[in-house]
Amino acid sequence: MARLSLVPQKREFYDLYNRAAANTISIAQALIELLEGFPEGSDGRVRNIKELEHEGDRLTHEVVDLLNRTFVTPFDRDDMYRLAGALDDICDHVDDAAEKITGYGVREIRGHAVEQAQVIHRSAIKLCEAISRLEGFKDSRRQLIELRELEDEGDRIVRQAVSELFSGGSDAIALVRWKDIHEALEEAVDACENAADVLEAILVKNR
C-alpha cells in the first residue's frame, strides 16, 4: 500500500517538471533531425522520437504518482495535473507528426515543415526556461511573451504552407497528406502555447 506523505515534496515535483520540459526540447530536436536528414536514417530517428514520447509518458506518470502520495502539494493539485498533461501533449503531437511523415509515404520534405519543426523547438526552449523559474514562482513573463510570438509565427507558416499547397498544382493525394502533416505540426506548436497558458495561470494564482 502506498504511503501518503504529509511533507511537501517540492524538490521532486520541480525536478520532474524540469525533466519533462527538457524532454520536449529533445523530442523537438529529434523531429528537426528527422526532417533535415529525410529519408536517410528515418526509421532510427522515428524510433528515437517514439522513445522520447514514452519518456514523456513516464514522467507524467511519475508526477501523477507523486501527487497521489503527497498530501500537501507545492501549488494547486489540479494545476499540477494540468501542467504535467500539457507537457506530455507536446510530445504526443510531435510523435503524431513524425508518424504521419513516415507513414504517408512522403518522399521529400517541404521547407515549411522544417520551419514548423524549428518553431516547435524554439518554443520548447522558451517553455523550458519558464518552467525552470516555476520554483519560487519567479517572473517568467518574458519567456511566455516570446513563446506566444513563436505561436504567431507558427500560425503564419502553416497558413502559407497550406496556401501554397492549394495554389502550387499539387496532386490531390499529396495535398491531403501534406495538409494533414502541416496541421499535426501546428498542433505541437499550439500544445506549447497551451502549456504556457497553464503555467501563466499557476503564476497568477501564486503571486
Side-chain angles (χ1 to χ4, degrees):
M1 186 174 179
R3 296 178 62 186
L4 187 67
S5 174
L6 300 179
V7 180
Q9 306 295 309
K10 290 185 178 181
R11 175 54 58 190
E12 291 88 340
F13 281 118
Y14 293 122
D15 178 61
L16 286 170
Y17 285 127
N18 284 323
R19 286 166 57 195
N23 192 58
T24 67
I25 296 177
S26 296
I27 199 170
Q29 179 61 43
L31 177 65
I32 291 174
E33 290 168 4
L34 169 67
L35 297 180
E36 290 184 342
F38 193 87
E40 285 77 16
S42 295
D43 290 344
R45 288 181 173 129
V46 169
R47 281 195 299 271
N48 184 39
I49 288 171
K50 179 61 71 176
E51 178 53 38
L52 290 166
E53 189 272 329
H54 289 329
E55 175 65 9
D57 289 340
R58 285 191 289 269
L59 290 167
T60 301
H61 293 154
E62 285 190 48
V63 172
V64 171
D65 180 62
L66 186 57
L67 278 167
N68 291 338
R69 292 186 288 107
T70 304
F71 184 72
V72 180
T73 57
F75 51 95
D76 182 81
R77 187 178 297 268
D78 288 341
D79 286 339
M80 296 185 77
Y81 282 119
R82 277 192 283 271
L83 183 58
L87 291 168
D88 189 40
D89 285 346
I90 298 168
C91 297
D92 291 341
H93 286 302
V94 170
D95 179 54
D96 179 55
E99 286 186 347
K100 285 177 176 173
I101 289 162
T102 54
Y104 283 3
V106 168
R107 292 190 179 91
E108 187 176 343
I109 300 299
R110 303 184 79 225
H112 288 309
V114 177
E115 290 179 29
Q116 286 181 285
Q118 290 168 344
V119 168
I120 296 167
H121 185 249
R122 287 155 57 202
S123 298
I125 290 172
K126 291 301 173 186
L127 183 60
C128 191
E129 291 175 1
I131 293 286
S132 73
R133 301 179 65 78
L134 179 58
E135 186 171 9
F137 308 112
K138 302 179 189 74
D139 185 11
S140 58
R141 281 174 292 184
R142 179 179 61 81
Q143 290 85 2
L144 297 177
I145 288 169
E146 291 173 353
L147 201 155
R148 290 194 173 89
E149 290 172 351
L150 286 166
E151 200 274 337
D152 291 340
E153 182 179 344
D155 284 344
R156 177 188 58 76
I157 292 169
V158 75
R159 284 195 301 269
Q160 186 176 357
V162 173
S163 175
E164 289 182 11
L165 274 177
F166 281 93
S167 63
S170 299
D171 66 79
I173 294 175
L175 190 153
V176 171
R177 284 173 177 165
W178 271 108
K179 183 174 183 295
D180 203 18
I181 291 167
H182 284 305
E183 289 174 350
L185 292 165
E186 176 63 12
E187 285 176 353
V189 178
D190 290 343
C192 291
E193 185 185 34
N194 180 59
D197 290 342
V198 173
L199 180 58
E200 184 174 49
I202 291 168
L203 295 173
V204 167
K205 287 181 184 179
N206 291 278
R207 279 183 187 139

